[in-house]
């Protein structure tokens, strides 16, 4: 302790006054930069995060001096009080690498590149998807461009655990920056056969346009693997017998979001789901638009689900719009009396076909402007004269067809302006969603039409809005001829 004597201060071991006095004991010396004195020991020590001679001055410790990071990482020294151990540095993975060990986690692909680089940046991008998959990385960024098939598909088979992110701009982050639809990466099957995209083991795709696929099942995309995910994908102009745009078969926990399905066709003897065929497929189908798709049966056969075909366990539908889709059969040629003896097929579900084994939950689904058209036999010559007549088959559920036995919950369902037609011109009937077993919002009743045609034999029309076999049937609702005749269209031919 310093002692005050005659106005003087004692410091250290000496008395700072002449002529005797009291020894005050040891005290701290003057310490250097970034050093402090410990009064209990009267010694100087470097401050935390510094090293060197505490009397002359201490320097900041460089925790990166021994290059302690992995080969694909850069060491960043942390400021004091961080020390020289692992707590004093941060290893920052190089671009294209990530995780605790900085392993390769991304590849960049430019389908228009003249040659391949290492795929670690846009400047050194790979030229093909196969090269990226061979690296085993979890994320593949693909610059906007077009990849066209030169042989039967699939053009892209998504590996398990891999996200193929298309429509990516050349920005510093490599993240997706959409300016839809211009920024999509286009996968074109060129009509050469097979689905354009196959997802047998899950995986994820986003930012893609998928077109030109022709297959038995899933013309655009075929999902058979659990956990598959699609986000921001446009399925346009694909064709298959089942699932013109998309087919998902017996796959759990599938996530389908922000999809657009347009001009896809299911065609053949048993066409099902022009837009999508989802059977035994669980998960979520949300915030998507199914617009202008068709199921078109060959002569003498039935079409089911112009927009969607759902059966068995199905994904939950939330905020999905099914618009302007059709289910119809190609007509017999004119002038063939034998065709009149044929059993006419029943076409069902212009917008949506929900099968008898379906387990479904819908929330906020809109079904609008869809058409189901019965089979037309064409013109023929009757037995007793030269009177030309036209016969037509039955159609059921222009908006939604619900199979007997289906288990479902509909919340906020809107069915609007759908049309059930046997095939030519005639008078209007209307059918409203009427049942005590579910709740629907059909707006308004007279916006959903059924058509019955004269002259000549005609088939029954059931369910301009929604039809379910065995559900209540009210003739007054279904045959309001005079009050609704003004709604008769002038052109009733089925068109895509």
């Amino acid at each position: 302790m310093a002692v005050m004597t005659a106005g003087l201060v004692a410091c250290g071991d000496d008395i700072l006054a002449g002529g005797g006095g009291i020894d005050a004991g040891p005290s701290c010396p003057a310490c250097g930069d970034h050093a402090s004195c410990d009064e209990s020991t009267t010694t100087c020590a470097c401050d935390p995060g510094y090293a060197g001679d505490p009397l002359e001055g201490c320097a900041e410790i460089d925790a990166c001096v021994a290059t302690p990071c992995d080969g694909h990482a850069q060491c960043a020294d942390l400021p004091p009080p961080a020390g020289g151990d692992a707590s004093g540095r941060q290893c920052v993975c190089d671009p294209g690498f990530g995780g605790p060990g900085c392993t390769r986690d991304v590849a960049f692909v430019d389908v228009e590149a003249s040659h391949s680089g290492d795929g670690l940046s846009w400047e050194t991008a790979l030229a093909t998807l196969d090269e990226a998959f061979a690296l085993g990385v979890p994320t593949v960024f693909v610059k906007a461009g077009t990849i066209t098939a030169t042989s039967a598909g699939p053009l892209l088979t998504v590996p398990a655990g891999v996200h193929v992110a298309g429509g990516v701009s050349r920005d510093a982050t490599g993240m997706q920056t959409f300016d839809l639809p211009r920024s999509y990466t286009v996968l074109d099957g060129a009509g050469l056969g097979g689905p354009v995209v196959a997802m047998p083991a899950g995986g994820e795709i986003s930012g893609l346009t998928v077109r030109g696929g022709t297959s038995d099942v899933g013309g655009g995309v075929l999902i058979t693997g659990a956990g598959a995910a699609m986000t921001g994908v446009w399925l346009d102009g694909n064709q298959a017998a089942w699932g013109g745009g998309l087919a998902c078969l017996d796959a759990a926990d599938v996530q389908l979001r922000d999809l657009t399905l347009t001009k896809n066709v299911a065609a053949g003897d048993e066409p099902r789901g022009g837009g999508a065929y989802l059977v035994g497929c669980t998960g979520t189908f949300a915030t998507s638009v199914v617009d202008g798709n068709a199921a078109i049966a060959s002569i003498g056969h039935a079409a089911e689900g112009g927009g969607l075909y759902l059966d068995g366990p199905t994904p939950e539908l939330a905020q999905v719009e099914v618009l302007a889709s059709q289910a119809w059969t190609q007509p017999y040629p004119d002038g063939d009396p034998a065709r009149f003896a044929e059993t006419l097929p029943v076409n069902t579900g212009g917008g949506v076909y929900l099968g008898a084994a379906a387990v479904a939950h819908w929330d906020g689904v809109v079904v609008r402007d869809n058409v189901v058209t019965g089979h037309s036999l064409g013109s023929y010559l009757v037995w007793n004269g030269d009177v030309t007549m036209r016969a037509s088959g039955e159609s059921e559920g222009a908006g939604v067809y619900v199979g007997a036995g289906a288990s479902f919950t509909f919340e906020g369902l809107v069915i609007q302006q759908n049309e059930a037609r046997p095939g030519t011109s005639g008078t209007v009937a209307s059918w409203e969603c009427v049942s005590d077993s579910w709740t629907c919002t059909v707006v308004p009743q007279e916006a959903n039409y059924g058509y019955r045609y004269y002259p000549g034999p005609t088939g029954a029309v059931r369910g301009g809005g929604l039809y379910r076999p065995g559900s209540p049937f009210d003739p007054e609702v279904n045959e309001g001829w005079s009050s609704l005749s003004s709604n008769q269209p002038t052109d009733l031919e089925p068109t895509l």
Side-chain angles (χ1 to χ4, degrees):
M1 179 178 70
V3 179
M4 300 295 294
T5 58
L8 299 176
V9 178
C11 184
D13 294 334
D14 301 321
I15 301 298
L16 301 181
I22 301 173
D23 184 358
S27 63
C28 286
C31 299
D33 292 340
H34 303 297
S36 302
C37 180
D38 183 348
E39 293 187 357
S40 65
T41 61
T42 65
T43 59
C44 293
C46 292
D47 294 337
Y50 294 87
D53 186 340
L55 295 178
E56 297 295 329
C58 300
E60 182 180 342
I61 298 173
D62 185 355
C64 294
V65 70
T67 60
C69 296
D70 294 310
H72 295 293
Q74 303 300 315
C75 185
D77 182 45
L78 300 179
D85 57 8
S87 66
R89 60 179 174 265
Q90 182 177 13
C91 292
V92 181
C93 295
D94 293 335
F97 296 84
C102 286
T103 57
R104 183 74 180 263
D105 67 350
V106 68
F108 293 85
V109 176
D110 183 349
V111 297
E112 298 176 353
S114 59
H115 63 279
S116 287
D118 58 16
L120 290 174
S121 68
W122 288 124
E123 289 70 26
T124 60
L126 300 168
T128 69
L129 287 167
D130 287 341
E131 290 175 296
F133 296 153
L135 297 173
V137 296
T139 303
V140 177
F141 288 120
V142 188
K143 178 180 172 288
T146 299
I147 306 174
T148 303
T150 57
S151 60
L155 179 58
L156 166 63
T157 299
V158 184
V162 174
H163 177 194
V164 179
V168 185
S169 67
R170 289 174 176 267
D171 60 18
T173 65
M175 299 303 292
Q176 288 172 289
T177 54
F178 292 130
D179 181 16
L180 305 182
R182 291 188 295 274
S183 66
Y184 275 113
T185 297
V186 179
L187 303 182
D188 191 343
L192 297 178
V196 180
V197 178
M199 305 181 75
E204 181 178 358
I205 60 175
S206 62
L208 302 178
T209 290
V210 179
R211 71 188 186 196
T214 54
S215 181
D216 292 334
V217 181
V221 176
L222 174 60
I223 297 174
T224 55
M230 296 172 60
T231 305
V233 175
W234 182 11
L235 300 165
D236 181 63
N238 301 283
Q239 181 173 319
W242 294 355
L246 164 67
C248 178
L249 308 177
D250 299 323
D253 193 26
V254 171
Q255 302 300 313
L256 309 172
R257 297 182 182 277
D258 302 322
L259 306 187
T260 302
L261 291 80
T262 56
K263 296 185 291 185
N264 301 288
V265 175
D269 289 351
E270 294 181 351
R272 297 176 178 176
Y277 177 88
L278 310 175
V279 176
C281 179
T282 63
T284 301
F285 183 16
T287 55
S288 298
V289 176
V290 182
D291 188 2
N293 303 276
I296 306 173
S298 54
I299 294 174
H301 296 274
E304 298 173 331
L308 301 176
Y309 182 102
L310 310 172
D311 207 357
T314 65
E316 178 179 342
L317 269 62
Q319 309 304 316
V320 173
E321 294 182 89
V322 183
L323 312 172
S325 295
Q326 301 191 25
W328 53 281
T329 299
Q330 294 182 359
Y332 284 117
D334 290 346
D336 188 349
R339 299 300 188 187
F340 185 60
E342 296 284 348
T343 300
L344 299 181
V346 179
N347 294 326
T348 49
V352 182
Y353 179 98
L354 196 61
V359 179
H361 178 250
W362 298 0
D363 186 359
V365 172
V366 175
V367 183
R368 185 174 64 244
D369 296 328
N370 302 283
V371 176
V372 62
T373 304
H375 195 342
S376 174
L377 287 178
S379 299
Y380 67 96
L381 189 66
V382 296
W383 293 105
N384 59 349
D386 58 359
V387 179
T388 299
M389 303 177 68
R390 180 174 294 272
S392 54
E394 300 181 1
S395 60
E396 297 176 341
V400 182
Y401 176 91
V402 181
S407 174
F408 55 89
T409 303
F410 295 158
E411 298 179 12
L413 171 62
V414 175
I415 305 176
Q416 186 179 27
Q417 294 179 253
N418 302 282
E419 303 174 359
R421 309 171 174 174
T424 53
S425 62
T427 312
V428 175
S430 176
W431 207 92
E432 183 184 14
C433 175
V434 178
S435 176
D436 57 3
S437 60
W438 69 86
T439 58
C440 303
T441 302
V442 181
V443 290
Q445 170 191 323
E446 57 268 24
N448 298 295
Y449 310 128
Y451 293 91
R452 184 160 303 189
Y453 302 100
Y454 297 96
T458 61
V461 178
R462 306 181 186 95
L466 183 149
Y467 177 74
R468 185 188 189 205
S471 59
F473 183 87
D474 185 345
E476 295 302 319
V477 172
N478 287 274
E479 298 188 8
W481 307 113
S482 59
S483 62
L484 299 177
S485 60
S486 61
N487 295 300
Q488 177 180 336
T490 58
D491 178 10
L492 298 179
E493 292 301 317
T495 57
L496 286 178

